Amino acid sequence: MPELPEVQTIVNDLNAAGLVGRVITKAGVYWPKTVATPSPADFCRLIKGQAIRAVYRRAKLILFEFNSNWTLGVHLRMTGRFGLSDAGKPRQKHEHVILDLDDGRALRFHDTRKFGRFQLVADLRTLLNHFGPEPLEPSFTSRRLSQLLRGRQRPIKPLLLDQAVIAGLGNIYVDEALWAARLHPLRRADSLNPEEVTALHRAIRRVLRTGLRHNGTTLGSGQGNFYSLGNTRGQNANHLKVFRRTQLPCPRCGAPIVRLVVGQRSSHVCRHCQLEK
DNA sequence: AAGAATGTTACATG
DNA sequence: ACATGTAACATTCT
């Protein structure tokens, strides 16, 4: 579920909640597969006593850096969420990892579909070395995007979803960016002319910043939706132009939005604005 | 009640 | 080696 803006919102909220400086006094793992590395038993033993030095984001990973130089990387996948509450509170349904803190609170990982993953590693590089550039970094220029597209014959949408090419985009923001740049998701990546690359570059940054400004996208009200710390909803759903707006009018030209499947993900496009390859 | 859901990856097939 | 496709993960919502 969570893409760059949602993950960053959670990181911001964790920092605002005062996680930095806290020490983990106890760890409980209630669904073993949630902890991918190391084994759940080693995870609990190793993380106990660690002090959190920083909480930040890279791609869609939440990174907890400890004073020991070990790092915990958490990927929320589709339905992972964090909550912070009293350590004495009994474990709730779908809470698969609970980290007790030295201030009496506990950081709880809630994940209905159980796809989320924890990795505790001594060397950060093992977590990060396969990611492409961060699209909101100043170094991510239109020229850089042009280089990423060069020689790639894949359709533009699956390429933008590939975290090794560019980090942090997911289905929502790719659909929004392609609409903003008036590009069809099936266009071959290397077929974009310079004007189209510039438009795509601007669109990617604009939709991510808009998502960030509204603290992420929460659709509907079900369990599986994005919620930040304390079940806070993001407000970005009100600002989406095409995503999950099938049959509603395109905000630009009024033609109905259509849904198609590209690379087994649903895609939302305006047939009039986003011309076929 | 079948199908889809904001993600990733391993494996298969072309 | 490359590209594309499918299944798997597991549960809830429409």
Side-chain angles (χ1 to χ4, degrees):
Chain A
M1 94 191 156
E3 309 178 27
L4 186 156
E6 289 74 33
V7 176
Q8 187 65 53
T9 297
I10 292 167
V11 165
N12 294 346
D13 289 348
L14 288 170
N15 278 305
L19 266 229
V20 171
R22 300 279 61 75
V23 174
I24 293 168
T25 55
K26 183 184 165 210
V29 176
Y30 306 96
W31 182 259
K33 290 171 97 171
T34 298
V35 175
T37 317
S39 71
D42 286 346
F43 173 86
C44 292
R45 186 170 52 76
L46 285 163
I47 206 167
K48 189 175 172 180
Q50 301 254 20
I52 300 170
R53 179 201 287 155
V55 182
Y56 62 103
R57 178 195 65 78
R58 168 78 169 106
K60 297 173 190 172
L61 281 180
I62 299 172
L63 296 162
F64 300 83
E65 187 179 285
F66 299 108
N67 283 346
S68 61
N69 284 333
W70 281 62
T71 302
L72 170 63
V74 177
H75 199 303
L76 274 17
R77 294 283 180 96
M78 299 285 268
T79 57
R81 273 146 58 178
F82 275 113
L84 208 43
S85 54
D86 195 283
K89 187 181 169 188
R91 183 171 72 93
Q92 307 289 295
K93 193 178 180 185
H94 305 308
E95 286 182 353
H96 306 311
V97 179
I98 299 180
L99 303 176
D100 288 0
L101 305 176
D102 62 346
D103 62 3
R105 296 182 295 174
L107 184 63
R108 297 157 185 272
F109 182 67
H110 180 286
D111 188 12
T112 49
R113 286 173 69 178
K114 299 176 175 167
F115 293 171
R117 291 294 178 265
F118 281 44
Q119 289 181 274
L120 179 62
V121 298
D123 183 358
L124 226 203
R125 288 171 301 181
T126 63
L127 290 181
L128 304 184
N129 55 21
H130 68 282
F131 290 121
E134 285 287 328
L136 293 181
E137 288 286 300
S139 59
F140 183 71
T141 58
S142 182
R143 197 158 150 261
R144 185 82 200 274
L145 177 60
S146 171
Q147 290 164 356
L148 292 174
L149 303 185
R150 189 171 306 151
R152 317 303 283 259
Q153 294 169 305
R154 299 163 68 186
I156 189 69
K157 172 156 178 171
L159 188 89
L160 293 176
L161 288 172
D162 186 339
Q163 302 299 298
V165 174
I166 177 171
L169 290 172
N171 215 24
I172 298 177
Y173 295 97
V174 166
D175 275 8
E176 293 295 309
L178 290 173
W179 176 85
R182 304 181 188 234
L183 293 169
H184 192 280
L186 289 174
R187 279 286 299 277
R188 305 277 123 181
D190 64 0
S191 77
L192 307 208
N193 66 37
E195 292 72 39
E196 290 173 324
V197 174
T198 304
L200 179 58
H201 175 259
R202 274 208 309 257
I204 289 169
R205 292 171 67 109
R206 178 151 21 100
V207 299
L208 291 176
R209 288 215 194 86
T210 300
L212 228 27
R213 187 162 64 245
H214 300 288
N215 300 312
T217 300
T218 303
L219 289 326
S221 53
Q223 281 273 301
N225 292 303
F226 162 71
Y227 291 89
S228 189
L229 259 202
N231 288 331
T232 310
R233 296 171 61 86
Q235 302 303 315
N236 196 240
N238 307 125
H239 302 270
L240 298 178
K241 311 295 189 191
V242 291
F243 191 80
R244 296 237 196 127
R245 298 182 56 80
T246 309
Q247 294 194 331
L248 292 170
C250 167
R252 204 160 40 206
C253 76
I257 304 296
V258 298
R259 175 183 177 275
L260 39 137
V261 175
V262 177
Q264 76 237 82
R265 310 296 303 279
S266 57
S267 295
H268 308 78
V269 313
C270 171
R271 270 257 172 71
H272 180 249
C273 297
Q274 295 165 270
L275 293 183
E276 288 281 347
K277 27 173 187 172

